[in-house]
Amino acid sequence: MIMPPRPSQTIDPPLADEQTHEDAIGGQIRELRKVKGLTLQEVADASGISVGYLSQIERNQSKLPIGVLKRISTTLGVQINWFFHGSDVP
């Protein structure tokens, strides 16, 4: 018989590598945007999001749905998988 976890049991948080990779995407967006000479306003407008939201994404203070990442990657001229391979800035 399988017992449900007792309230006193805790569930481990995500692995540090997973958190680091997820958090790194915001920094990669910021770095790529700056290398390409684009402002927050330009990228936000072209991606259909607010400047404040893009700023929060770059600072890893907001969730980043895959659809929004796709629009940002298109605006920055990279494929979405660029953020997951650690590629050099194009």
Side-chain angles (χ1 to χ4, degrees), residues 17-67:
D17 288 345
E18 291 173 5
Q19 290 175 339
T20 301
H21 184 69
E22 182 177 314
D23 291 346
I25 293 176
Q28 289 175 354
I29 291 170
R30 174 178 277 169
E31 181 181 349
L32 183 57
R33 176 181 61 78
K34 288 183 174 185
V35 166
K36 293 194 173 256
L38 299 170
T39 65
L40 277 168
Q41 186 72 57
E42 291 169 328
V43 174
D45 288 348
S47 301
I49 59 176
S50 72
V51 172
Y53 181 44
L54 178 57
S55 178
Q56 289 176 348
I57 290 169
E58 288 187 351
R59 291 178 285 127
N60 302 305
Q61 294 182 343
S62 188
K63 294 286 183 183
L64 179 56
I66 196 76

Side-chain angles (χ1 to χ4, degrees), residues 2 9 14 20 37 43 69:
I2 299 174
Q9 291 176 320
T20 301
V43 174
L69 179 58

Side-chain angles (χ1 to χ4, degrees), residues 4-11:
R6 290 180 283 176
S8 63
Q9 291 176 320
T10 59
I11 298 173

